[in-house]
Amino acid sequence: MELSNLADFLAASGARYQIFDMGRRVRPLPQADFERCAKGECPYPYPLQRQAWLGILFWQQQPYVWFVRLGLDEQGLLNQGDAAQFMAQVLTAMQQGKDTLPDNPYTFVPNEEKRAAFHSQSRLYLGEPASIYYEDAAAFANGQRADWQAIGLQGLADLVARDKNTTWFAAFITQAPLPVLEALAIQLENYVIEPALADALWQRFNDSPLLIGRALGGSHLRDDAADRLLEKADIQALMVVAGRLWESLETPSRLDCFLEKAAQLEGGRHFPPLFADLVMLPSLRPELLAKLRDPERSDALTKAIGRLF
């Protein structure tokens, strides 16, 4: 089998597949977008820490999953050397009749929250029922049981995946116990949020600003959440804006505010990693590179940029 690029390789395997981004949010990548990225025709759209974090769901008679991270070059394109080495390991495993890969630098284990989100989304994609934990979560959300401590994370992830757009779910958000609200918020960050649910989350913003802010990334209140977090301007708030609300930074004035806050915070020591992460995003890269040549930037920003070199 020719090791050309990852998309062609997966297609040639004879299995059907779907790629999920596992980095900034857990979400399926359109097939055409993934194929263009795999062939080096465009930058990876959602880089995190200069890598593409992929969940590869593929199936013939039964589904299998590989979680793969591939490096990106300076332009945000997939590192074809990394891809080729990973494909060689996949081919070896296939030839040996294995459906799991040996330890290697390209596979990873997502954290518990992302694994739960992936399993919820992949079950929906394949037309499979929710996990066995869903019924308990749905019963609690509908007031049919009171012991939320016994509800598993996978059940809450399934609840979000299947019921987030219902009227009763938005009402539930307004009065959910804080630990449940926070677990739901982490799951909600992976989805486009309808206005009624976003408004319900906004009512609880002060209860958990960082997590609710993350949950609003796919909503009409995304920019409002980013502005509230920029007012806080501590490192955790800036990381949420950079990692989950980055589309808000496509507004030049908000990007300027973010950069100034990062440059001033703790002497600018957090500026280099934040800048390095954001500059890999295709939508922000031109504006950020322009900042390197801007003669009118502030002294604090000039000093912070100096830390990059």
Side-chain angles (χ1 to χ4, degrees), residues 200-213:
L201 287 164
W202 190 251
Q203 293 180 40
R204 304 290 303 272
F205 186 88
N206 290 333
D207 291 342
S208 186
L210 297 178
L211 295 183
I212 299 297

Side-chain angles (χ1 to χ4, degrees), residues 22-27 111-118 120-121 153 156-158 160-161 164 169 173 178-193 197 201 208-218 240 243-244:
M22 299 293 296
R24 294 173 184 271
R25 300 180 184 129
V26 178
R27 56 185 161 186
N111 65 32
E112 186 179 14
E113 290 83 4
K114 287 187 175 181
R115 289 201 308 274
F118 175 84
S120 293
Q121 292 188 31
L153 176 60
L156 295 174
D158 291 345
V160 167
K164 62 185 178 298
F169 187 87
I173 284 292
L178 183 58
V180 175
L181 174 68
E182 292 183 332
L184 292 171
I186 293 173
Q187 295 301 314
L188 284 166
E189 72 180 36
N190 301 304
Y191 299 93
V192 174
I193 303 299
L197 177 54
L201 287 164
S208 186
L210 297 178
L211 295 183
I212 299 297
R214 287 168 57 165
L216 292 168
V240 169
R244 298 296 186 271

Side-chain angles (χ1 to χ4, degrees), residues 2-14:
E2 182 182 356
L3 301 181
S4 51
N5 64 74
L6 187 54
D8 289 345
F9 179 79
L10 290 170
S13 71

Side-chain angles (χ1 to χ4, degrees), residues 7 46 53 63 66 71 97-98 139 147 155 160 185 198 263 269 274:
Y46 310 118
W53 303 78
W66 288 332
K98 299 178 180 178
D147 54 335
V160 167
R269 71 184 187 92
L274 289 170

Side-chain angles (χ1 to χ4, degrees), residues 58 62 64-66 93 97-101:
F58 61 102
Q62 60 180 330
Y64 297 97
V65 176
W66 288 332
K98 299 178 180 178
D99 52 34
T100 59
L101 293 176

Side-chain angles (χ1 to χ4, degrees), residues 23-97:
R24 294 173 184 271
R25 300 180 184 129
V26 178
R27 56 185 161 186
L29 287 178
Q31 194 83 354
D33 291 354
F34 170 69
E35 290 175 358
R36 291 182 62 214
C37 291
K39 295 174 182 178
E41 297 174 356
C42 66
Y44 187 73
Y46 310 118
L48 180 66
Q49 300 171 350
R50 298 195 63 166
Q51 296 184 91
W53 303 78
L54 308 176
I56 304 176
L57 172 67
F58 61 102
W59 66 98
Q60 288 177 314
Q61 295 181 340
Q62 60 180 330
Y64 297 97
V65 176
W66 288 332
F67 294 113
V68 180
R69 58 183 180 182
L70 299 174
L72 305 174
D73 66 15
E74 292 294 332
Q75 296 179 316
L77 301 174
L78 285 180
N79 185 310
Q80 295 300 324
D82 283 359
Q85 290 187 46
F86 170 71
M87 289 186 289
Q89 294 188 8
V90 171
L91 183 58
T92 298
M94 291 172 60
Q95 291 171 338
Q96 295 174 350

